[in-house]
């Protein structure tokens, strides 16, 4: 997502965006790139790289674009590098991840503020009204964002500490030669996390066809319900939503059984939802690379391919995922014929159903 143009436009006295900067940035654009290089101690090449990674277009070296807060942010990055927490390379990747996620949040927040003011104010063209409101509510938005961020930090830190405790009690070792019966652990990377996980894709069946007959209000209601349902079920099942892409949600879990329960619950709840299309889910298990909040690897690709070939109201898993569920009486697994999909000439899907549903079908 590109940055709003007025954020990086040359400073012209009297233009509305100067008020935006005063309200939202706490000060005007007073520094050129040469100024912030001198004040922060960060080289010119890296300041350009970081600025671009945040999602903003590069400006001339003599343009007064930057604020005191920009200098402070660059200094903070330098302190993290000096402490050894990040490197220059990972700082750029961190900036790109922050810019990507927070730009989406900022776009929604500005739209929400403008819509709110327009509902109660007179002239939609009057930018001063919503800017004044934004200034009043900015501390509240910051408080909420900081709180949610810290809650997630605490949750992930707790999970990591618990996992390390389990590894220690089980006598597992870090990177190096594997002992008898131990799997070799891949060396870790500072900004990457590679481990076996369950990956799931869930989408709404017939979404494209359905949207042709919906007005914008009805479409918003369907999308809101889809995102609420999937988000609630994944959270209740102790999974994590990685991202939502239109009519599809990508989630990850630490175990196959957790992902299976989530997928089956999503299917059941969607079937009971009036006005919501049926869902279909693809699940895979294997080594997954987690990086800056996103996930990569063969398991992610396989889960996406399985979703594309799944029938409405069904859950398909790969053979590795099915192996993780072997011996668990809560689930019924049925191997299907191999299919040819993009990147996989003979992908072997396995149909996943709850054991009770399997018994019911068999008993007919």
């Amino acid at each position: 997502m590109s940055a709003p143009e007025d954020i990086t436009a040359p400073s012209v006295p009297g233009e509305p965006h100067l008020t935006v900067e005063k309200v939202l940035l706490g000060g005007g654009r007073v520094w050129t790139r040469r100024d912030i290089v001198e004040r922060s101690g960060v080289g010119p090449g890296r300041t350009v790289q970081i600025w671009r990674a945040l999602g903003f277009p590069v400006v001339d070296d003599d343009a007064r674009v930057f604020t005191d807060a920009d200098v402070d942010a660059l200094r903070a990055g330098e302190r993290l590098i000096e402490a050894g927490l990040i490197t220059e390379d990972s700082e750029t990747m961190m900036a790109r991840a922050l810019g990507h996620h927070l730009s989406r949040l900022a776009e929604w927040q500005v739209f929400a503020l403008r819509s709110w003011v327009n509902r109660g104010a007179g002239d939609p063209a009057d930018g001063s009204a919503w800017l004044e409101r934004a200034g009043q509510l900015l501390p509240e938005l910051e408080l909420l964002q900081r709180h949610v961020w810290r809650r997630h930090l605490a949750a992930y830190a707790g999970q990591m500490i618990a996992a390390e405790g389990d590894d220690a009690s089980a006598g597992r070792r870090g990177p190096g030669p594997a002992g008898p019966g131990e799997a070799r652990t891949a060396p870790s990377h500072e900004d990457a996390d590679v481990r076996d996980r369950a990956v799931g894709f869930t989408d709404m069946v017939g979404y494209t066809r359905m949207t042709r007959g919906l007005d914008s209000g009805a479409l918003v209601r369907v999308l809101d319900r889809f995102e609420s349902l999937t988000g609630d079920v994944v959270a209740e099942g102790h999974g994590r939503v990685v991202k939502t892409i239109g009519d599809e949600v990508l989630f990850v879990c630490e175990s196959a059984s957790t992902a299976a329960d989530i997928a089956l619950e999503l299917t059941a709840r969607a079937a009971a939802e009036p006005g919501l299309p049926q869902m279909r889910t693809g699940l895979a298990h294997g080594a997954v690379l987690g990086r800056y909040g996103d996930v990569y690897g063969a398991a992610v690709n396989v889960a996406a391919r399985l979703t594309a070939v799944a029938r409405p109201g069904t859950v398909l898993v790969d053979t590795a995922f099915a192996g993780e569920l072997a011996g668990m009486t809560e689930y019924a697994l049925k191997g299907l014929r191999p299919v040819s999909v993009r990147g996989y000439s003979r992908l072997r899907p396995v149909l996943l159903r709850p054991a009770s549903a399997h018994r019911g079908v068999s008993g007919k």
Side-chain angles (χ1 to χ4, degrees), residues 86-108:
I86 60 175
T87 65
E88 290 186 7
D89 289 339
S90 64
E91 180 186 34
T92 302
M93 296 304 299
M94 180 178 68
R96 182 169 289 111
L98 286 171
H100 172 70
H101 293 292
L102 294 181
S103 67
R104 297 176 64 187
L105 179 62
E107 182 182 33
W108 170 81

Side-chain angles (χ1 to χ4, degrees), residues 33 37 50 58 68 95 97 101-102 109 132 138 142 154 163 202 204 221 235 256 262 276 297 303 332 351:
R33 185 171 303 284
V37 166
I50 293 169
V58 177
D68 288 333
H101 293 292
L102 294 181
Q109 288 172 336
E132 183 180 356
L138 187 61
E142 288 181 326
T202 294
M204 291 186 284
R221 288 190 292 273
I262 288 173
L276 193 64
L351 179 64

Side-chain angles (χ1 to χ4, degrees), residues 36-313:
I36 65 168
V37 166
E38 180 181 348
R39 289 174 173 274
S40 68
V42 179
R46 276 188 54 223
T47 61
V48 170
Q49 189 177 40
I50 293 169
W51 188 247
R52 186 186 290 118
L54 287 171
F56 302 116
V58 177
V59 297
D60 294 337
D61 287 345
D62 294 326
R64 294 192 178 277
V65 168
F66 304 100
T67 68
D68 288 333
D70 292 314
V71 176
D72 291 340
L74 286 170
R75 288 172 177 167
E78 286 298 289
R79 291 193 293 270
L80 293 177
I81 293 172
E82 292 170 2
L85 181 65
I86 60 175
T87 65
E88 290 186 7
D89 289 339
S90 64
E91 180 186 34
T92 302
M93 296 304 299
M94 180 178 68
R96 182 169 289 111
L98 286 171
H100 172 70
H101 293 292
L102 294 181
S103 67
R104 297 176 64 187
L105 179 62
E107 182 182 33
W108 170 81
Q109 288 172 336
V110 168
F111 176 79
L113 281 167
R114 187 64 181 269
S115 299
W116 175 54
V117 170
N118 288 346
R119 288 195 301 269
D123 184 7
D126 180 12
S128 61
W130 74 267
L131 277 177
E132 183 180 356
R133 290 292 191 182
Q136 295 170 354
L137 296 177
L138 187 61
E140 306 298 338
L141 291 173
E142 288 181 326
L143 186 152
L144 287 173
Q145 289 168 194
R146 185 171 64 251
H147 171 72
V148 173
W149 170 62
R150 284 184 175 272
R151 290 294 302 183
H152 279 292
L153 277 180
Y156 283 110
Q159 292 173 13
M160 182 176 294
I161 292 171
E164 289 175 350
D166 291 343
D167 288 349
S169 63
R172 297 177 187 142
R173 301 186 297 185
E182 287 184 327
R184 186 181 299 276
T185 303
S188 62
H189 191 276
E190 62 175 313
D191 58 4
D193 173 23
V194 182
R195 63 179 187 273
D196 284 349
R197 298 181 191 174
V199 183
F201 275 94
T202 294
D203 72 5
M204 291 186 284
V205 180
Y207 170 79
T208 302
R209 183 175 63 255
M210 176 195 68
T211 56
R212 293 175 188 158
L214 295 179
D215 59 29
S216 58
L219 177 59
V220 166
R221 288 190 292 273
V222 170
L223 291 174
D224 283 349
R225 188 62 198 122
F226 171 70
E227 292 181 8
S228 296
L229 189 151
T230 53
D232 290 348
V233 172
V234 172
E236 291 167 7
H238 301 284
R240 177 175 74 88
V241 171
V242 177
K243 55 188 172 185
T244 301
I245 311 168
D247 64 327
E248 189 171 58
V249 63
L250 166 61
F251 64 93
V252 293
C253 299
E254 296 303 314
S255 70
S257 59
T258 298
D261 291 341
I262 288 173
L264 294 172
E265 183 67 15
L266 284 172
T267 302
R269 289 201 195 181
E273 279 279 337
L276 193 64
Q278 286 184 294
M279 293 185 192
R280 58 183 179 179
T281 301
L283 301 171
H285 190 274
V288 174
L289 167 65
R291 193 163 186 256
Y292 295 106
D294 213 336
V295 291
Y296 308 86
V300 180
N301 299 331
V302 170
R305 304 296 182 267
L306 288 171
T307 304
V309 299
R311 292 186 175 183

